[in-house]
Amino acid sequence: MKKNKSDLIRYLFFLSAILSIALIILISFFLFKEGTVIFKEVGFLNFILGKDWSPTNTPSSFGILPMILGSLYITLIAILIGGPVGIITAVFLVYYTKDKHYRFLKSIINLMAGIPSIIYGFFGMVVLVPAVRYLFPSNGNSILTAGILLSIMILPTVINLSEVAIRAVPRFYYEGALALGSSKERSIFKVVLPAAKSGVISSLILGIGRAVGETMAVVMVAGNQPRMPKGIFKGARTLTTNIVMEMSYASGVHRNALIGTAVVLFMIILIINLVFTIFKERNVNG
Amino acid sequence: MSKIKIKDFNLFYDNFQGLKNINMNIEENKITAFIGPSGCGKSSLLKSINRMNDLVDSCVTNGNIYFDDKDIMKTDVTQLRKEIGMVFQNPNPFPMSIYNNIAYGPRTHGIKSKEELDKIVESSLRKAALYDEVKDSIHKSALKLSGGQQQRLCIARALAIEPEVLLLDEPTSALDPISTLKIEELLQSLKDDYTIVIVTHNMQQALRISDNTGFFLNGELIEFNETDKLFTFPENEKTENYITGRFG
């Protein structure tokens, strides 16, 4: 009787464990099944390298290069701003805060991670867009604005993972550097951070993944013009916003093209995760 | 001649008094050993000399320590640590190449020229009796060295910034007997050029290598004398009990 019960529990656990694996396989299967239709229709290379997205024109054209580049530029700006700020914040949390302040700051950062992206989007719309419009001659809905907003949104990811990596560096490296007459800053930036390098890089990679996938906040500030990006003060559309803006009314080939966009996005995320895993492995191995 | 003078020095961790009214003079070009049971304050005193205790938030001190007649609390701490090098209990080479480990200190203090750094690296490794063992792998990771080699690398790294004093905090307690012997020989050879202070658990080690020995107990300096005298004719009963192995 007892044995049967423990067996049952074991199976229950096993089922829960394979549920998530089954789900990811299911998602991939249907996404690729539906999404690859467009690749056959217009050709994979034409699809991802095509510069013209006019799904409702006759003849229609389905090129998502503008969106790929839009995602790329916005993510690049996000990581160029959010990366350094996040890493320095993590250093601050580990080496410059007292316990009491640390707990306060940490709870704020965790709160940041929990704020719905639509709220960030709203903040971007009422604060960042006017600010960019004021500072640079543009209408404010731009690659730069979206990049800045995303740089804020990826901070919790970068900070928390970098913090773990920095904290994992043995204290005696830091003390060893100080004992050589090295300043606190030099000890941290020349000894501790290099020792935490792979963990810090994986935090950036995960931040990139988060930025690439973000939708709601971006759609509210990026301008969303489906054309080749024309500079950081001009609007652009990303892979995610391309889908969310048109899915509600698309049908037929147009709908297939949007699912195809999702497939491309999914592949980018898979690649990012693969790179992340490689860096994480390296961290473990020394 | 005294290199370091400790005067009426007290140290507290929160409400616990770790060191009580310590007075001692550490002589130049001699090896001075601090002995005593765990928690007696010997390491706290060592770490006070190059102000590593500054890192401990709860640590408060009063009294004075003079290094060449300069009050260490009034000296710039990075300059102080350049002149007073330290080697820790567990070998702690940085996770970088042997070369970069040694060049780290000189670079910190402004030496950029590659030729100069090359010279420093080689001479430091020679001084630490490590050069012949690592000369072919100088650009390989320092973490690949054995424990004893790592500790000698740490000594080389400390020597590379040309300190006048070398503080060692139980440098051999994590090492095997052969590595320990090598380090002891090394310290003997270094004392002509440096003033050495070593904290050790091992009384035999103090007896083997030191010129002067201080015995600490419960935060007090019980006895401080020439090593031979302290071990053969201890003046204090507590010292005698400790060195004859009655406690500790």
Side-chain angles (χ1 to χ4, degrees):
Chain A
M1 180 63 206
K2 209 162 197 179
K3 185 161 190 317
N4 288 345
K5 198 175 165 193
S6 76
D7 271 359
L8 187 74
I9 291 173
R10 215 165 62 92
Y11 284 125
L12 218 63
F13 285 2
F14 178 68
L15 266 177
S16 317
I18 61 165
L19 189 67
S20 47
I21 300 171
L23 278 173
I24 198 108
I25 293 172
L26 215 64
I27 291 171
S28 312
F29 176 75
F30 279 101
L31 191 65
F32 278 93
K33 181 174 165 280
E34 304 234 339
T36 46
V37 175
I38 189 75
F39 299 163
K40 280 174 212 138
E41 256 166 89
V42 302
F44 182 66
L45 285 181
N46 289 336
F47 185 63
I48 61 163
L49 296 178
K51 292 179 184 165
D52 184 27
W53 175 264
S54 26
T56 49
N57 286 7
T58 15
S60 55
S61 170
F62 300 100
I64 61 164
L65 187 63
M67 278 66 94
I68 292 175
L69 291 180
S71 284
L72 185 77
Y73 293 151
I74 289 174
T75 303
L76 200 66
I77 292 173
I79 207 72
L80 283 179
I81 301 172
V85 174
I87 293 167
I88 289 168
T89 309
V91 167
F92 181 77
L93 285 176
V94 179
Y95 280 97
Y96 289 86
T97 47
K98 298 247 156 67
D99 206 34
K100 185 170 62 173
H101 303 136
Y102 171 77
R103 261 176 279 163
F104 174 71
L105 277 170
K106 188 76 183 169
S107 64
I108 298 283
I109 289 158
N110 287 334
L111 180 67
M112 271 182 86
I115 295 174
S117 47
I118 194 85
I119 307 284
Y120 281 104
F122 179 73
F123 168 77
M125 212 170 78
V126 299
V127 178
L128 291 182
V129 170
V132 171
R133 187 187 302 145
Y134 178 76
L135 290 172
F136 308 101
S138 64
N139 84 351
N141 289 295
S142 66
I143 292 179
L144 180 67
T145 320
I148 294 171
L149 184 59
L150 280 178
S151 75
I152 300 169
M153 294 178 69
I154 64 170
L155 279 179
T157 308
V158 177
I159 293 170
N160 285 335
L161 281 159
S162 294
E163 189 201 333
V164 171
I166 293 167
R167 223 176 260 290
V169 175
R171 181 92 178 166
F172 53 67
Y173 289 151
Y174 172 62
E175 290 180 357
L178 287 182
L180 290 169
S182 165
S183 68
K184 181 170 185 175
E185 290 68 34
R186 189 178 159 89
S187 304
I188 291 169
F189 283 96
K190 295 281 181 175
V191 175
V192 176
L193 269 187
K197 190 172 63 189
S198 54
V200 169
I201 290 174
S202 21
S203 86
L204 295 180
I205 295 168
L206 226 61
I208 291 172
R210 173 117 169 71
V212 170
E214 181 47 45
T215 314
M216 286 321 295
V218 176
V219 81
M220 292 168 81
V221 300
N224 306 315
Q225 297 89 332
R227 53 150 196 238
M228 293 296 277
K230 289 192 168 66
I232 62 167
F233 301 119
K234 296 277 164 47
R237 185 181 285 195
T238 65
L239 290 165
T240 52
T241 54
N242 192 38
I243 303 166
V244 79
M245 290 190 63
E246 298 184 2
M247 206 53 170
S248 54
Y249 63 85
S251 63
V253 189
H254 185 190
R255 185 168 178 277
N256 291 340
L258 293 178
I259 300 172
T261 311
V263 170
V264 173
L265 177 68
F266 190 57
M267 291 196 292
I268 292 173
I269 295 290
L270 285 182
I271 293 168
I272 290 171
N273 271 283
L274 194 72
V275 177
F276 170 73
T277 315
I278 293 168
F279 269 100
K280 226 172 64 176
E281 287 293 313
R282 253 202 235 166
N283 210 15
V284 176
N285 297 334
Chain B
M1 208 197 112
S2 310
K3 191 73 178 169
I4 296 165
K5 295 194 191 82
I6 301 167
K7 275 196 87 88
D8 305 327
F9 191 75
N10 292 284
L11 176 144
F12 304 83
Y13 297 114
D14 290 324
N15 294 323
F16 172 75
Q17 185 161 8
L19 287 170
K20 295 168 193 160
N21 205 34
I22 305 294
N23 283 286
M24 71 195 303
N25 292 333
I26 292 169
E27 288 180 73
E28 191 165 11
N29 296 346
K30 293 266 169 74
I31 298 180
T32 303
F34 294 176
I35 61 168
S38 301
C40 66
K42 57 194 192 304
S43 282
S44 294
L45 183 62
L46 190 80
K47 285 177 181 163
S48 298
I49 297 173
N50 70 342
R51 288 178 57 187
M52 286 304 280
N53 275 332
D54 288 11
L55 297 181
V56 183
D57 283 333
S58 61
C59 179
V60 181
T61 62
N62 63 48
N64 301 91
I65 297 178
Y66 298 96
F67 166 63
D68 280 344
D69 298 320
K70 291 170 294 190
D71 186 337
I72 61 159
M73 297 312 280
K74 294 188 180 108
T75 313
D76 173 54
V77 69
T78 59
Q79 188 57 32
L80 179 76
R81 289 178 187 154
K82 183 186 179 306
E83 287 165 8
I84 305 181
M86 183 171 220
V87 174
F88 295 80
Q89 180 170 5
N90 291 303
N92 61 347
F94 303 137
M96 41 179 96
S97 69
I98 294 170
Y99 183 97
N100 284 333
N101 259 282
I102 296 173
Y104 181 85
R107 281 184 183 133
T108 297
H109 299 289
I111 296 172
K112 292 210 175 66
S113 132
K114 181 160 183 319
E115 289 145 46
E116 212 171 330
L117 286 172
D118 287 349
K119 255 187 233 155
I120 293 172
V121 169
E122 186 180 329
S123 71
S124 306
L125 283 171
R126 281 190 194 283
K127 279 185 215 156
L130 189 61
Y131 184 76
D132 292 330
E133 291 165 53
V134 303
K135 61 174 185 278
D136 298 320
S137 55
I138 213 158
H139 292 289
K140 299 230 171 78
S141 170
L143 302 183
K144 296 232 154 63
L145 298 175
S146 73
Q149 288 174 324
Q150 288 191 3
Q151 194 62 303
R152 275 180 285 148
L153 175 65
C154 290
I155 294 173
R157 186 174 70 184
L159 298 179
I161 50 175
E162 297 176 347
E164 295 172 27
V165 177
L166 203 55
L167 307 176
L168 302 108
D169 188 3
E170 300 190 31
T172 60
S173 66
L175 304 180
D176 61 89
I178 293 170
S179 303
T180 299
L181 192 68
K182 277 193 181 157
I183 296 213
E184 288 179 5
E185 283 169 359
L186 169 62
L187 294 179
Q188 293 282 12
S189 74
L190 289 173
K191 82 172 179 185
D192 293 340
D193 300 313
Y194 304 90
T195 303
I196 295 173
V197 185
I198 179 169
V199 164
T200 178
H201 246 98
N202 181 339
M203 280 180 278
Q204 298 308 317
Q205 184 169 60
L207 188 56
R208 278 195 300 267
I209 63 171
S210 72
D211 300 295
N212 297 311
T213 298
F215 169 61
F216 292 78
L217 186 65
N218 298 329
E220 287 174 76
L221 177 59
I222 302 293
E223 189 166 344
F224 182 44
N225 211 335
E226 286 168 30
T227 299
D228 291 342
K229 282 190 187 149
L230 187 129
F231 278 96
T232 40
F233 304 109
E235 282 164 14
N236 191 298
E237 199 188 338
K238 289 174 189 162
T239 316
E240 188 179 350
N241 287 343
Y242 183 72
I243 59 173
T244 51
R246 262 171 237 165
F247 73 96

PDB file of all heavy atoms in Angstrom, chain A residues 24-34:
ATOM      1  N   ILE A  24       6.523  22.913 -24.530  1.00  0.00           N
ATOM      2  CA  ILE A  24       7.445  23.612 -25.418  1.00  0.00           C
ATOM      3  C   ILE A  24       7.507  22.901 -26.775  1.00  0.00           C
ATOM      4  O   ILE A  24       7.597  23.541 -27.823  1.00  0.00           O
ATOM      5  CB  ILE A  24       8.848  23.778 -24.774  1.00  0.00           C
ATOM      6  CG1 ILE A  24       9.656  24.863 -25.495  1.00  0.00           C
ATOM      7  CG2 ILE A  24       9.647  22.522 -24.819  1.00  0.00           C
ATOM      8  CD1 ILE A  24       9.806  26.096 -24.710  1.00  0.00           C
ATOM      9  N   ILE A  25       7.411  21.574 -26.737  1.00  0.00           N
ATOM     10  CA  ILE A  25       7.402  20.829 -28.005  1.00  0.00           C
ATOM     11  C   ILE A  25       6.133  21.156 -28.790  1.00  0.00           C
ATOM     12  O   ILE A  25       6.172  21.417 -30.000  1.00  0.00           O
ATOM     13  CB  ILE A  25       7.501  19.307 -27.734  1.00  0.00           C
ATOM     14  CG1 ILE A  25       8.879  18.980 -27.156  1.00  0.00           C
ATOM     15  CG2 ILE A  25       7.267  18.502 -29.011  1.00  0.00           C
ATOM     16  CD1 ILE A  25       9.030  17.558 -26.674  1.00  0.00           C
ATOM     17  N   LEU A  26       5.003  21.196 -28.072  1.00  0.00           N
ATOM     18  CA  LEU A  26       3.717  21.512 -28.688  1.00  0.00           C
ATOM     19  C   LEU A  26       3.748  22.902 -29.321  1.00  0.00           C
ATOM     20  O   LEU A  26       3.339  23.095 -30.476  1.00  0.00           O
ATOM     21  CB  LEU A  26       2.631  21.446 -27.612  1.00  0.00           C
ATOM     22  CG  LEU A  26       1.265  20.929 -28.046  1.00  0.00           C
ATOM     23  CD1 LEU A  26       1.394  19.466 -28.492  1.00  0.00           C
ATOM     24  CD2 LEU A  26       0.273  21.042 -26.899  1.00  0.00           C
ATOM     25  N   ILE A  27       4.238  23.862 -28.561  1.00  0.00           N
ATOM     26  CA  ILE A  27       4.307  25.236 -29.065  1.00  0.00           C
ATOM     27  C   ILE A  27       5.165  25.292 -30.314  1.00  0.00           C
ATOM     28  O   ILE A  27       4.755  25.826 -31.348  1.00  0.00           O
ATOM     29  CB  ILE A  27       4.875  26.185 -27.975  1.00  0.00           C
ATOM     30  CG1 ILE A  27       3.875  26.341 -26.843  1.00  0.00           C
ATOM     31  CG2 ILE A  27       5.218  27.543 -28.576  1.00  0.00           C
ATOM     32  CD1 ILE A  27       4.415  27.074 -25.631  1.00  0.00           C
ATOM     33  N   SER A  28       6.366  24.688 -30.232  1.00  0.00           N
ATOM     34  CA  SER A  28       7.261  24.703 -31.389  1.00  0.00           C
ATOM     35  C   SER A  28       6.584  24.051 -32.591  1.00  0.00           C
ATOM     36  O   SER A  28       6.631  24.577 -33.706  1.00  0.00           O
ATOM     37  CB  SER A  28       8.558  23.946 -31.079  1.00  0.00           C
ATOM     38  OG  SER A  28       9.068  24.364 -29.855  1.00  0.00           O
ATOM     39  N   PHE A  29       5.946  22.913 -32.341  1.00  0.00           N
ATOM     40  CA  PHE A  29       5.343  22.157 -33.433  1.00  0.00           C
ATOM     41  C   PHE A  29       4.315  23.003 -34.187  1.00  0.00           C
ATOM     42  O   PHE A  29       4.385  23.166 -35.402  1.00  0.00           O
ATOM     43  CB  PHE A  29       4.696  20.877 -32.890  1.00  0.00           C
ATOM     44  CG  PHE A  29       3.980  20.093 -33.942  1.00  0.00           C
ATOM     45  CD1 PHE A  29       4.686  19.341 -34.879  1.00  0.00           C
ATOM     46  CD2 PHE A  29       2.592  20.110 -34.016  1.00  0.00           C
ATOM     47  CE1 PHE A  29       4.026  18.629 -35.858  1.00  0.00           C
ATOM     48  CE2 PHE A  29       1.922  19.397 -34.997  1.00  0.00           C
ATOM     49  CZ  PHE A  29       2.641  18.649 -35.918  1.00  0.00           C
ATOM     50  N   PHE A  30       3.355  23.563 -33.444  1.00  0.00           N
ATOM     51  CA  PHE A  30       2.295  24.309 -34.125  1.00  0.00           C
ATOM     52  C   PHE A  30       2.808  25.617 -34.728  1.00  0.00           C
ATOM     53  O   PHE A  30       2.390  26.024 -35.808  1.00  0.00           O
ATOM     54  CB  PHE A  30       1.124  24.561 -33.168  1.00  0.00           C
ATOM     55  CG  PHE A  30       0.235  23.360 -33.056  1.00  0.00           C
ATOM     56  CD1 PHE A  30       0.326  22.508 -31.958  1.00  0.00           C
ATOM     57  CD2 PHE A  30      -0.661  23.048 -34.072  1.00  0.00           C
ATOM     58  CE1 PHE A  30      -0.466  21.382 -31.871  1.00  0.00           C
ATOM     59  CE2 PHE A  30      -1.457  21.920 -33.986  1.00  0.00           C
ATOM     60  CZ  PHE A  30      -1.363  21.074 -32.882  1.00  0.00           C
ATOM     61  N   LEU A  31       3.737  26.245 -34.009  1.00  0.00           N
ATOM     62  CA  LEU A  31       4.304  27.475 -34.540  1.00  0.00           C
ATOM     63  C   LEU A  31       4.993  27.212 -35.880  1.00  0.00           C
ATOM     64  O   LEU A  31       4.764  27.914 -36.863  1.00  0.00           O
ATOM     65  CB  LEU A  31       5.290  28.066 -33.533  1.00  0.00           C
ATOM     66  CG  LEU A  31       5.765  29.478 -33.829  1.00  0.00           C
ATOM     67  CD1 LEU A  31       4.614  30.457 -33.757  1.00  0.00           C
ATOM     68  CD2 LEU A  31       6.855  29.891 -32.845  1.00  0.00           C
ATOM     69  N   PHE A  32       5.824  26.169 -35.893  1.00  0.00           N
ATOM     70  CA  PHE A  32       6.557  25.886 -37.127  1.00  0.00           C
ATOM     71  C   PHE A  32       5.628  25.366 -38.218  1.00  0.00           C
ATOM     72  O   PHE A  32       5.805  25.680 -39.386  1.00  0.00           O
ATOM     73  CB  PHE A  32       7.710  24.904 -36.852  1.00  0.00           C
ATOM     74  CG  PHE A  32       8.924  25.584 -36.297  1.00  0.00           C
ATOM     75  CD1 PHE A  32       9.124  25.687 -34.931  1.00  0.00           C
ATOM     76  CD2 PHE A  32       9.869  26.151 -37.145  1.00  0.00           C
ATOM     77  CE1 PHE A  32      10.222  26.347 -34.416  1.00  0.00           C
ATOM     78  CE2 PHE A  32      10.977  26.804 -36.638  1.00  0.00           C
ATOM     79  CZ  PHE A  32      11.155  26.907 -35.264  1.00  0.00           C
ATOM     80  N   LYS A  33       4.615  24.599 -37.817  1.00  0.00           N
ATOM     81  CA  LYS A  33       3.678  24.045 -38.795  1.00  0.00           C
ATOM     82  C   LYS A  33       2.944  25.177 -39.523  1.00  0.00           C
ATOM     83  O   LYS A  33       2.879  25.215 -40.740  1.00  0.00           O
ATOM     84  CB  LYS A  33       2.681  23.135 -38.075  1.00  0.00           C
ATOM     85  CG  LYS A  33       1.656  22.482 -38.994  1.00  0.00           C
ATOM     86  CD  LYS A  33       0.818  21.479 -38.204  1.00  0.00           C
ATOM     87  CE  LYS A  33      -0.445  21.062 -38.961  1.00  0.00           C
ATOM     88  NZ  LYS A  33      -1.513  22.056 -38.845  1.00  0.00           N
ATOM     89  N   GLU A  34       2.449  26.121 -38.728  1.00  0.00           N
ATOM     90  CA  GLU A  34       1.683  27.216 -39.331  1.00  0.00           C
ATOM     91  C   GLU A  34       2.615  28.280 -39.922  1.00  0.00           C
ATOM     92  O   GLU A  34       2.289  28.915 -40.925  1.00  0.00           O
ATOM     93  CB  GLU A  34       0.787  27.873 -38.278  1.00  0.00           C
ATOM     94  CG  GLU A  34      -0.147  26.902 -37.604  1.00  0.00           C
ATOM     95  CD  GLU A  34      -1.583  27.349 -37.695  1.00  0.00           C
ATOM     96  OE1 GLU A  34      -1.815  28.557 -37.917  1.00  0.00           O
ATOM     97  OE2 GLU A  34      -2.469  26.491 -37.538  1.00  0.00           O
TER      98      GLU A  34
END
